[in-house]
Amino acid sequence: YIQIDFTLPPVHLSLHDVYGKTVLSDELFGSPINYQMDVSSVPAGTYVIHINYGDGVVSSHKLAVVN
């Protein structure tokens, strides 16, 4: 699992593979948010998670999924 804590709703999360394809996404509402994204369905590898805070601010982080 990936755990992410947010305080600014709404939050849109999207997980992308190395080719830019969205493999998981979710929309979260409420404050504060403690969220775990279940990545057990995606193959091991390198991904980028995009976090869109709804006010135009986007944060991107590279991560590795190890199964």
Side-chain angles (χ1 to χ4, degrees):
Y1 290 91
I2 300 168
Q3 181 169 331
I4 304 168
D5 296 319
F6 295 98
T7 56
L8 300 173
V11 175
H12 179 78
L13 303 171
S14 56
L15 186 67
H16 303 267
D17 65 15
V18 294
Y19 303 107
K21 178 182 175 188
T22 302
V23 294
L24 293 173
S25 66
D26 207 351
E27 187 90 22
L28 309 174
F29 300 93
S31 179
I33 297 170
N34 182 310
Y35 176 77
Q36 290 185 346
M37 180 180 276
D38 183 358
V39 294
S40 64
S41 65
V42 299
T46 302
Y47 294 86
V48 175
I49 188 163
H50 295 286
I51 306 167
N52 184 327
Y53 294 97
D55 59 359
V57 176
V58 177
S59 178
S60 298
H61 303 277
K62 189 176 181 180
L63 57 96
V65 172
V66 180
N67 295 344

